[in-house]
Amino acid sequence: MTSNNKDKPPASGNEPLLQVRDLKTYFFTREGTVKAVDGVSFTVRRGEIRGIVGESGCGKSMTAMSILRLVDKPGRIVSGEALFRGEDLLKKSRREMTAMRGQQISMIFQEPKSSLNPVLKISTQLLEVLRVHRDDRSVPVKTEAAVEMLRGVGIPDAARRVDNYPHEMSGGMAQRVMIAMSMAYAPDLLIADEPTTALDVTIQAQVLDLIRKLRDDRDMAVMLITHDMGVVAEMADIVTVMYAGTAVEEAPTIELFEEPLHPYTRGLINSIPVMGQVKDRLEVIPGRVPDLIDLPPGCRFAPRCKARIEHNLTRCEIQEPHLIEAQPGHRVRCWLYESDDTV
Ligand SMILES: Nc1ncnc2c1ncn2[C@@H]1O[C@H](COP(=O)(O)OP(=O)(O)OP(=O)(O)O)[C@@H](O)[C@H]1O
Ligand SMILES: [Mg+2]
């Protein structure tokens, strides 16, 4: 594990920018209610990178989509708050929310090319973003401004690249273009949902470096969604581990990796490939995320949990554990850390 943010002052003293409290987003389907996000709380502070990590289907994207109010039917936010600078995004009108998206909060996705218009040159798309955003609309926006945007995200030969169509760009380049577009609005919060999952490893590192640099230069907050513990280790200041729609652990990144408490987190960490070290077999967590319609009673992770068997814990399958502060700033939802009198 490497961490390039060790020499940065801890972001924990910074003011909260986004406070998500007890967020619940359900899908009301014919088969039943899918509890995609089921009581998630976390805070993103100014200048901080908050990692949200978990396997596929844990509710990571739906958490982000809920904050931006992009959940479509049959999905609905059933409760909770998402306070952005103290104002609840979940109570904003559609129009207020549209203004918020892009200007103060930007989002980038896994598939950059699907967010770009395939029939328009990159310059046209970048200039459109600038046009919408500038204060004085009578002043024409020049191509040079688009070239500058590309330079700002480290695209080489930007003056030529700006004339490309999306299909002429690699995935990494397209993601940089997306990042350039979201930066045009100088957002205070960037939500990045698996921004590098579709990219080659070396390109992945470059895009992550770019996101970190933008954070450093602009003191922007980042909510970084990933299923990759390696990305979390590299990037995040603080991490929320999600499992089956809930947060199961939360801690500063260094602490999470040095002393993971939840058996699920330990499983995720053990499944990180270590460079230069040949493991016979990567330890993967057996089983899969439960169906979010038919959640097992008790702890959602219990059916897959080695610790439950090792410690012969019986209540795991009967009652859901609470998210408790096991150590200062380090929360976990697991019966291993809850005393008997809470049962
Ligand atoms: N339109 C829908 N109807 C029913 N269920 C849905 C719908 N969209 C999402 N879900 C469910 O919500 C749950 C959470 O999905 P989400 O996309 O947030 O997962 P994720 O953690 O982002 O996974 P991934 O790593 O694969 O992106 C999943 O169980 C998914 O099946
Ligand atoms: Mg997702």
Side-chain angles (χ1 to χ4, degrees), residues 166-212:
H167 74 266
E168 295 175 289
M169 300 201 123
S170 65
M173 284 294 164
Q175 191 60 287
R176 280 168 192 266
V177 171
M178 287 311 300
I179 293 172
M181 283 188 180
S182 50
M183 288 307 122
Y185 296 105
D188 297 317
L189 173 67
L190 174 70
I191 300 181
D193 189 355
E194 307 270 7
T196 58
T197 305
L199 309 177
D200 293 344
V201 178
T202 46
I203 308 297
Q204 218 179 69
Q206 292 170 10
V207 171
L208 292 175
D209 278 348
L210 171 63
I211 293 174
R212 194 170 27 226

Side-chain angles (χ1 to χ4, degrees), residues 40-65:
V40 170
S41 303
F42 59 89
T43 297
V44 189
R45 294 172 187 278
R46 198 165 48 78
E48 175 181 83
I49 301 183
R50 154 77 56 165
I52 308 275
V53 69
E55 288 165 293
S56 187
C58 279
K60 306 182 297 294
S61 294
M62 281 309 145
T63 300
M65 299 296 263

Side-chain angles (χ1 to χ4, degrees), residues 5 7 18 31 51 62 70 80 150 159 179 193 221 244 250 296 312 340:
N5 45 33
D7 46 359
L18 174 72
E31 291 75 32
M62 281 309 145
L70 294 171
L150 293 188
I179 293 172
D193 189 355
E250 180 190 53
N312 196 22
D340 281 340

Side-chain angles (χ1 to χ4, degrees), residues 235-296:
M235 294 287 290
D237 300 302
I238 186 162
V239 187
T240 296
V241 181
M242 279 188 74
Y243 187 75
T246 62
V248 296
E249 187 159 2
E250 180 190 53
T253 308
I254 293 169
E255 191 170 329
L256 188 88
F257 280 86
E258 279 174 359
E259 199 185 343
L261 297 179
H262 201 285
Y264 179 59
T265 311
R266 291 183 189 158
L268 289 179
I269 290 174
N270 286 337
S271 62
I272 305 176
V274 180
M275 286 277 260
Q277 189 182 319
V278 183
K279 278 193 178 179
D280 286 347
R281 197 177 68 83
L282 271 181
E283 192 174 336
V284 287
I285 308 165
R288 56 186 197 87
V289 180
D291 187 341
L292 299 181
I293 294 181
D294 294 310
L295 288 165

